[in-house]
Amino acid sequence: MTTVLTPRPDTPARPGPTVRRVALVGWGAIGRVVGTALAEGRVPGAELTCVIDNRPLVDAPAPQLSFEDALAVCDLVVEAAGQAVVREWAERVLTSGADLLIASTGALVDPGLTARLRAAGPGRVYFTGGAVGGLDLLQAVRGLGPLTSVTLTTTKLPATLHQPWMDDELTTRLRTTTEPVEVMRGTARDVPVKFPKSTNVAASVALATGDPDLVEVVVVADPDATLTRHVIEAAGPHGSYRFEVAHRPDAANPATSQVVPHAVLRSLGAVVGRAGQIL
């Protein structure tokens, strides 16, 4: 015998699924993976409507539009193009009514920008943890009280860490070192500004803990670092926590890890309501 369950007469019908129209900003190492997955229908509830990039594109699987035109046809913007895009466009995205998923979390250590985004709307802002895990647990333990110490140690190949502001001595050390070298030590408010393409993880940890000035960040260059390594150590009166990940760098852009676009896709799936997500 087959039993059919029907809703009570006074129960309103659930609305059907809504497909989010996605504008993808950036067609690089991260954007190509994310955009291809969207175009192939691998994120139920989301469709790639357009791509935004400051370079002419010939292989994008959706029309290339300007930011202004994209905001007229999309309701979710996925940023995969760098901190400068977040600083310039995030507030306008939210004001237009579209939601924004940020991959370049380093921009969010700017307290002025963060305050403006909190006040903007009606769009909502989300961020992805990228190449590091444990952020959900760090967010959860804040409910028990503030952490007393948080340290992030990031180790990468020297070539991925060189920056225009470095003096000749440090540049030479990076180019010639045969052993690990500490490149910088500072807070999660300071370090992402100095390494805008390499230390978004520091900002993600800061967002999870709620205090960029609490998070001490150590950036290490290691010529033998075939894998990019992030170690988070945190402690408080309620416990101690340690997370360590080691990722293979992206072949096209060694400054980022291969896993980052898949973290963006995982976060995008959560935003659009894919069933079975661990949030």
Side-chain angles (χ1 to χ4, degrees):
M1 181 177 69
T2 300
T3 301
V4 179
L5 300 179
T6 57
R8 290 169 41 190
D10 58 344
T11 301
R14 296 179 62 182
T18 300
V19 176
R20 304 297 301 272
R21 297 167 296 167
V22 177
L24 174 63
V25 188
W27 193 246
I30 298 173
R32 286 176 182 274
V33 176
V34 173
T36 300
L38 283 167
E40 293 176 352
R42 288 188 273 133
V43 184
E47 64 179 17
L48 181 63
T49 301
C50 62
V51 176
I52 304 166
D53 199 289
N54 57 10
R55 305 157 299 177
L57 304 177
V58 296
D59 58 345
Q64 182 177 2
L65 299 181
S66 68
F67 235 119
E68 291 85 353
D69 290 341
L71 292 180
V73 297
C74 296
D75 52 50
L76 174 59
V77 175
V78 177
E79 175 276 315
Q83 296 182 23
V85 170
V86 180
R87 296 189 185 98
E88 181 177 358
W89 284 99
E91 191 173 358
R92 279 183 274 183
V93 170
L94 302 182
T95 301
S96 77
D99 293 340
L100 174 64
L101 174 59
I102 294 174
S104 303
T105 52
L108 301 180
V109 299
D110 177 350
L113 175 62
T114 302
R116 293 195 301 274
L117 296 186
R118 285 192 177 125
R124 296 163 294 181
V125 62
Y126 306 90
F127 75 90
T128 180
V132 71
L135 301 184
D136 51 348
L137 183 58
L138 292 178
Q139 288 177 309
V141 299
R142 286 168 58 188
L144 297 170
L147 292 160
T148 54
S149 67
V150 183
T151 301
L152 166 68
T153 303
T154 291
T155 303
K156 293 191 172 189
L157 287 168
T160 67
L161 295 172
H162 182 260
Q163 301 294 322
W165 53 263
M166 293 180 174
D167 60 24
D168 292 341
E169 179 183 358
L170 183 52
T171 297
T172 300
R173 289 180 67 195
L174 286 178
R175 289 175 178 170
T176 61
T177 185
T178 58
E179 59 185 14
V181 173
E182 183 177 309
V183 181
M184 183 175 181
R185 182 182 294 259
T187 70
R189 191 180 302 280
D190 303 324
V191 172
V193 178
K194 294 290 189 179
F195 298 90
K197 296 181 179 180
S198 300
T199 55
N200 284 309
V201 164
S204 297
V205 174
L207 289 166
T209 60
D211 186 356
D213 297 312
L214 171 66
V215 181
E216 181 182 40
V217 182
V218 183
V219 181
V220 177
D222 183 353
D224 295 325
T226 55
L227 301 178
T228 296
R229 191 175 303 276
H230 303 289
V231 180
I232 302 172
E233 297 171 287
H238 36 68
S240 60
Y241 314 91
R242 189 180 191 278
F243 314 100
E244 180 173 351
V245 297
H247 298 296
R248 193 165 299 282
D250 185 90
N253 179 13
T256 191
S257 299
Q258 286 182 341
V259 73
V260 172
H262 299 280
V264 174
L265 286 168
R266 183 263 171 204
S267 299
L268 179 57
V271 170
V272 302
R274 181 193 294 175
Q277 289 283 351
I278 300 174
L279 300 176

